[in-house]
Amino acid sequence: MTEVEFIPKQFVVVSETEPSPFEGLIWYNPQTKLWKMYSGGQWKILIPFYVGDAEPVEKTDGMLWYDSLNDVLRVYDGTQAAFRRLGVDWNDITNKPTAFTPATHSTEHHPDGQDPLRGYTISDEVYASNDAEKTHGPYTDWRRSKEFQLPADFPSNMTLRIYFEMKINNSNGLGEARIRRNGVAVGTYRSTKSTSYVAFTEDIPGWGPNDKIQLYVRNWTSSYYLYVRNFRILGVPGVAKFDIPVTLQ
């Protein structure tokens, strides 16, 4: 007996119209894309799985439908008479965090997936601070005043919001400052003749593991003193906060 002879072809029918039924007959309808078996006097969906752009006309409880139009897998709930999405969509989550959307997660976390949902999002909240007042002068060369160092597991290519306050002790003088990264100037040149503290804020890109965030200052003349305070990184942490140590107060 050959394989073809072994399979009773009369038990399988492929047709867009319903065949004459008998017990055990299998029918595949290429129009509805459903396999059915005739059993107990009725057609029963044999393989409860459907692929198509539109919802299948015939359903059965627990039936799976791959919605190829929306790239979503759904299951039919017979009690509710409706297909329910399988899995969770970000847009369907209530009370979800705003700092870790799928889009920001790919850019503000380690790309290799090792970052345990720690992170940083720019804001005006204080993330790390080096607040003590420091006096400089009288001298006219650039001096390193304050410094943070990012940890070894900090994400790469981050933009950080850097904040500090500066004043001079005499309005005839001029206080100057600039943010550096590992000794290289990356921030905008800042200056003031104010004898009251002036705040400066700047979003600077390109920070990464082990980088030093440095505040450099100088006096325009050697006759006056320059003061700085509240050197800060502003932002909102993720689930866990990075420890960013002060390496120069």
Side-chain angles (χ1 to χ4, degrees):
M1 179 179 296
T2 67
E3 182 180 359
V4 174
E5 292 172 339
F6 177 76
I7 300 175
K9 291 184 178 180
Q10 66 271 23
F11 282 86
V12 179
V13 175
V14 177
S15 173
E16 294 185 358
T17 58
E18 180 180 337
S20 299
F22 58 84
E23 189 72 15
L25 177 64
I26 296 174
W27 167 36
Y28 175 71
N29 187 333
Q31 184 177 31
T32 63
K33 301 177 183 178
L34 291 176
W35 287 90
K36 296 182 180 180
M37 172 181 282
Y38 194 78
S39 176
Q42 61 180 326
W43 289 105
K44 298 180 180 179
I45 296 177
L46 182 63
I47 303 175
F49 183 77
Y50 173 80
V51 177
D53 292 351
E55 180 178 318
V57 176
E58 298 181 66
K59 307 103 171 171
T60 185
D61 191 45
M63 180 180 184
L64 294 174
W65 165 37
Y66 176 69
D67 181 352
S68 54
L69 179 63
N70 298 296
D71 194 24
V72 171
L73 184 63
R74 307 179 190 273
V75 63
Y76 189 74
D77 183 341
T79 303
Q80 299 295 323
F83 276 98
R84 304 297 184 190
R85 180 191 181 108
L86 286 179
V88 178
D89 184 84
W90 179 264
N91 296 321
D92 295 333
I93 301 174
T94 58
N95 301 319
K96 57 180 175 284
T98 58
F100 296 104
T101 62
T104 58
H105 187 82
S106 64
T107 58
E108 297 186 2
H109 298 75
H110 286 305
D112 59 5
Q114 299 303 309
D115 178 21
L117 277 183
R118 297 191 300 171
Y120 166 87
T121 301
I122 288 175
S123 80
D124 290 327
E125 296 183 38
V126 178
Y127 190 101
S129 61
N130 184 350
D131 287 348
E133 184 180 70
K134 194 165 187 178
T135 305
H136 294 275
Y139 44 76
T140 58
D141 58 324
W142 285 98
R143 301 286 180 96
R144 183 168 55 106
S145 176
K146 289 177 173 287
E147 181 181 272
F148 295 103
Q149 183 164 13
L150 298 174
D153 60 345
F154 198 77
S156 299
N157 197 30
M158 295 284 287
T159 296
L160 300 182
R161 178 165 292 173
I162 312 298
Y163 172 95
F164 66 92
E165 297 172 5
M166 176 173 61
K167 72 176 182 178
I168 197 82
N169 73 325
N170 190 302
S171 59
N172 291 321
L174 180 70
E176 300 171 293
R178 198 168 188 181
I179 302 298
R180 296 190 184 189
R181 176 167 49 234
N182 307 323
V184 178
V186 292
T188 301
Y189 167 79
R190 305 292 193 180
S191 65
T192 184
K193 296 173 71 67
S194 175
T195 56
S196 299
Y197 273 108
V198 178
F200 299 94
T201 306
E202 185 173 5
D203 295 348
I204 303 175
W207 301 99
N210 299 310
D211 277 345
K212 293 179 179 179
I213 306 171
Q214 302 160 319
L215 176 60
Y216 273 73
V217 300
R218 75 174 178 182
N219 293 304
W220 183 60
T221 69
S222 59
S223 302
Y224 307 112
Y225 289 87
L226 168 70
Y227 304 88
V228 292
R229 71 180 185 185
N230 296 340
F231 184 43
R232 298 170 176 175
I233 301 171
L234 304 182
V236 178
V239 175
K241 185 177 180 181
F242 283 103
D243 180 23
I244 302 178
V246 173
T247 46
L248 180 63
Q249 289 188 335

